[in-house]
């Protein structure tokens, strides 16, 4: 079931959707592509993709909520295990065991398990900034809810997608014309903010022996926030759609689990009513292989 179908059901049962607020109405201070990329790169820090190893495991959970309703209407649980790391002539091939379970309006769905793959080129393994070292990326992920498709998406892939989200590409222009049916579209990123703090570890990591190797059961987290706005132009009319992003990265975490939170909020129109939805993916657990 797609997000819009879920929201359609909720429109009949949740009365508060008739008084939704727009996403963070505030003065927009433009942010350039370079500024957003620099903030994300500094937040990510130095991390070698080849530190990913067999039996590394992470567990993350995505929740989707209506504004002013703390109870999520959609929950996606993901367990990702590196089952194999193979060295090839020019690259390392990673095999992942990807397990998912979905809860829709408190209804538990069946668990799904399948394999997925990524590759890291040997020539790219020493890169320390956000560049395309992984074979699979999702450059259009900003235009659709991540929780619709249940595809395995690693933290670095989300980071890479965001790094180019503020740039209008030929692919995006083609998507706007062919899929959205508009004459053109323009992208604006704004209100870029970066903060740093020390947080307690997620509870499941705290429960590991010696807090999984973290001193004082805490870790550093850098949070980057910005607004992403697309202006859809058709004739004389202009429709704007805004997404508020908040991304939490930890330089204390290894490459595989470095993205700790990936959250965004945006409006969806359901039966001529605007519904504000927050989607947030959070790291719940991480274990190094052999621990």
């Amino acid at each position: 079931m797609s997000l819009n179908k879920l929201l359609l059901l909720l429109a009949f049962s949740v009365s508060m959707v008739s008084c939704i607020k727009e996403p963070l109405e505030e003065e927009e201070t433009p942010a350039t592509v370079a500024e957003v990329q620099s903030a994300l790169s500094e937040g990510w820090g130095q991390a070698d993709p080849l530190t990913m190893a067999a039996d590394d495991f992470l567990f993350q959970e995505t929740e989707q909520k209506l504004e002013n309703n703390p109870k999520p209407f959609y929950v996606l649980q993901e367990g990702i295990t590196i089952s194999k790391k193979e060295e090839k002539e020019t690259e390392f091939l990673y095999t992942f065991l990807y397990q998912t379970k979905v809860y829709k309006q408190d209804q538990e769905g069946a668990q799904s398990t399948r394999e997925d793959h990524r590759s890291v080129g040997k020539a790219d393994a020493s890169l320390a900034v956000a560049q395309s070292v992984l074979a699979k990326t999702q450059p259009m992920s900003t235009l659709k809810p991540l929780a619709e498709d249940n595809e395995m998406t690693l933290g670095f892939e989300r980071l890479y997608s965001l790094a180019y989200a503020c740039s209008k590409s030929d692919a995006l222009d083609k998507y706007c014309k062919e899929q959205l049916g508009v004459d053109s579209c323009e992208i604006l990123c704004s209100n870029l903010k970066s903060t740093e703090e020390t947080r307690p570890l997620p509870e499941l990591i705290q429960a590991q022996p010696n807090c999984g190797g973290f001193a004082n059961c805490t870790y550093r987290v850098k949070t980057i926030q910005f607004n992403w706005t697309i202006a859809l132009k058709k004739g004389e009319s202009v429709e704007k759609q805004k997404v508020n992003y908040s991304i939490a990265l930890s330089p204390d975490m290894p490459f595989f689990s470095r993205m700790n939170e990936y959250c965004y909020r945006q409006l969806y129109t359901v039966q001529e009513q605007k519904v504000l939805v927050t989607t947030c993916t959070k790291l719940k657990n991480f274990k190094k292989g052999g621990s």
Side-chain angles (χ1 to χ4, degrees):
M1 181 183 292
S2 69
L3 173 62
N4 285 335
K5 288 182 180 179
L6 274 173
L7 293 174
L8 185 60
L9 292 175
L10 289 169
F12 290 105
S13 59
V14 182
S15 60
M16 69 89 174
V17 298
S18 61
C19 53
I20 290 295
K21 298 179 182 178
E22 296 284 332
L24 294 182
E25 287 300 319
E26 55 188 343
E27 184 178 348
E28 302 291 348
T29 301
T32 66
V33 175
E35 288 171 336
V36 172
Q37 289 179 343
S38 178
L40 292 171
S41 179
E42 290 176 6
W44 183 266
Q46 297 192 11
D48 187 342
L50 293 185
T51 57
M52 296 190 295
D55 296 326
D56 284 358
F57 166 81
L58 70 78
F59 171 62
Q60 60 188 20
E61 190 170 81
T62 299
E63 291 186 342
Q64 289 187 312
K65 299 178 181 179
L66 294 173
E67 189 78 351
N68 302 324
N69 187 345
K71 189 173 183 179
F73 64 87
Y74 183 101
V75 177
L76 168 66
Q77 296 180 339
E78 300 170 286
I80 305 176
T81 304
I82 299 175
S83 59
K84 188 186 300 184
K85 177 181 179 181
E86 301 172 272
E87 183 174 2
K88 304 295 184 179
E89 183 176 352
T90 61
E91 64 185 9
F92 285 87
L93 177 64
Y94 285 87
T95 301
F96 296 85
L97 187 65
Y98 181 55
Q99 298 174 295
T100 64
K101 179 176 284 190
V102 172
Y103 297 82
K104 297 176 181 178
Q105 294 181 277
D106 291 332
Q107 297 297 312
E108 180 178 348
Q111 182 170 301
S112 172
T113 302
R114 67 176 184 270
E115 283 190 350
D116 211 328
H117 300 86
R118 301 291 189 273
S119 62
V120 179
K122 291 182 179 180
D124 298 325
S126 62
L127 294 182
V129 295
Q131 295 180 4
S132 181
V133 300
L134 296 179
K136 179 181 177 183
T137 60
Q138 292 182 313
M140 300 300 292
S141 65
T142 52
L143 297 179
K144 66 177 182 178
L146 290 175
E148 275 192 349
D149 48 25
N150 295 350
E151 291 183 359
M152 188 185 82
T153 307
L154 301 180
F156 186 85
E157 294 171 330
R158 286 175 171 156
L159 182 84
Y160 180 78
S161 178
L162 287 174
Y164 290 92
C166 301
S167 174
K168 180 185 174 181
S169 64
D170 292 340
L172 177 60
D173 195 51
K174 182 179 180 180
Y175 177 87
C176 289
K177 292 176 181 178
E178 296 182 0
Q179 301 298 320
L180 303 183
V182 298
D183 298 329
S184 65
C185 59
E186 299 295 333
I187 300 295
L188 171 68
C189 283
S190 59
N191 296 8
L192 177 66
K193 300 175 184 177
S194 298
T195 58
E196 184 173 356
E197 62 181 328
T198 299
R199 294 184 184 177
L201 288 164
E203 292 183 1
L204 292 175
I205 299 180
Q206 289 189 44
Q208 296 177 29
N210 195 30
C211 284
F214 289 87
N216 302 317
C217 283
T218 61
Y219 68 134
R220 291 174 299 160
V221 175
K222 296 183 178 182
T223 301
I224 297 94
Q225 297 174 308
F226 66 93
N227 296 338
W228 181 90
T229 303
I230 185 169
L232 307 173
K233 299 180 180 180
K234 188 175 181 64
E236 298 297 321
S237 65
V238 179
E239 178 188 356
K240 291 186 177 181
Q241 299 176 10
K242 180 189 290 187
V243 183
N244 308 131
Y245 281 105
S246 179
I247 306 97
L249 307 169
S250 175
D252 293 337
M253 287 283 183
F255 184 92
F256 191 32
S257 58
R258 185 152 286 203
M259 180 167 284
N260 283 242
E261 292 180 10
Y262 177 88
C263 303
Y264 60 91
R265 61 201 295 261
Q266 64 187 114
L267 283 169
Y268 294 90
T269 301
V270 180
Q271 289 196 329
E272 299 182 354
Q273 295 186 87
K274 290 185 176 181
V275 181
L276 185 56
V277 177
T278 297
T279 303
C280 202
T281 301
K282 295 184 179 182
L283 177 71
K284 295 293 186 178
N285 199 7
F286 172 77
K287 292 182 180 180
K288 288 292 295 180
S291 63

